[in-house]
Amino acid sequence: MRAEERTFVAIKPDGVQRGLIGDIVKRFETKGYKVTALKMLQVTDAQAKAHYAEHEGKPFYPRLIRYIQSGPIVAMVVEGYNAVAGVRHLMGSTDPDKAEVGTIRADFAQVMEYNVVHGSDSVESAEREIAIYFNEKEIFDDRKCMSELVTEYLDAD
């Protein structure tokens, strides 16, 4: 059983362009995950190639690179219990037609090529992807949840 982990999430260019940032971030926070880093950026050539390195040489690789650079993305580090699997469950299947009702992709995407979000598929991938988009100084994992803040406040009396 896994404990606290962190994972990488990107709201892809189609999600950003459609104004879905708040709706998507809210899904993760409502579930109880902490967003410990977040920024909007235009993906560079180096970042795109590093992100999709495992697909280099495949016929769809150039399309992946073009797509991730077609507009800004919102990159996030999301932390919590079993975050990799939990976040992927909230996102739903890569193919929106096969995604469970109520998931991000089922609710917001129509085709696999424009499926709104990306999430790391393992703890190892998460660490690799986080390092592509963030340095450690940009990750605020000491942020407290509301219950911790209230407890601190009440204990101060």
Side-chain angles (χ1 to χ4, degrees):
M1 193 154 67
R2 291 202 174 122
E4 289 284 317
E5 349 180 284
R6 63 185 188 176
T7 190
F8 176 76
V9 175
I11 302 175
K12 295 178 180 181
D14 59 312
V16 173
Q17 291 168 5
R18 291 176 52 207
L20 299 174
I21 299 166
D23 290 328
I24 292 169
V25 172
K26 183 178 180 175
R27 299 275 184 112
F28 299 123
E29 291 186 319
T30 300
K31 183 70 175 182
Y33 294 113
K34 289 194 285 189
V35 176
T36 56
L38 182 140
K39 63 181 166 182
M40 183 182 287
L41 65 128
Q42 184 66 47
V43 176
T44 66
D45 288 335
Q47 287 170 321
K49 289 175 182 172
H51 187 105
Y52 290 119
E54 70 272 16
H55 298 300
E56 189 173 4
K58 296 177 182 171
F60 56 86
Y61 177 76
R63 279 195 326 270
L64 288 175
I65 300 296
R66 253 191 331 272
Y67 170 55
I68 201 71
Q69 293 186 293
S70 66
I73 69 164
V74 171
M76 294 183 272
V77 178
V78 176
E79 293 189 12
Y81 176 79
N82 205 20
V84 172
V87 164
R88 289 181 66 79
H89 183 73
L90 284 173
M91 291 188 317
S93 174
T94 305
D95 182 345
D97 290 338
K98 295 177 182 165
E100 287 183 51
V101 173
T103 62
I104 293 167
R105 289 176 174 145
D107 289 351
F108 299 129
Q110 293 182 11
V111 295
M112 190 161 44
E113 289 77 12
Y114 299 98
N115 63 12
V116 183
V117 289
H118 163 82
S120 302
D121 63 3
S122 68
V123 173
E124 297 75 26
S125 291
E127 290 304 315
R128 183 183 68 78
E129 292 172 352
I130 289 167
I132 293 168
Y133 297 98
F134 294 96
N135 66 54
E136 284 299 319
K137 291 181 181 178
E138 295 176 303
I139 301 171
F140 298 91
D141 56 5
D142 60 343
R143 205 182 94 211
K144 296 182 179 181
C145 67
M146 190 63 194
S147 63
E148 291 171 307
L149 293 171
V150 170
T151 302
E152 268 184 15
Y153 175 77
L154 294 174
D155 289 346
D157 288 338

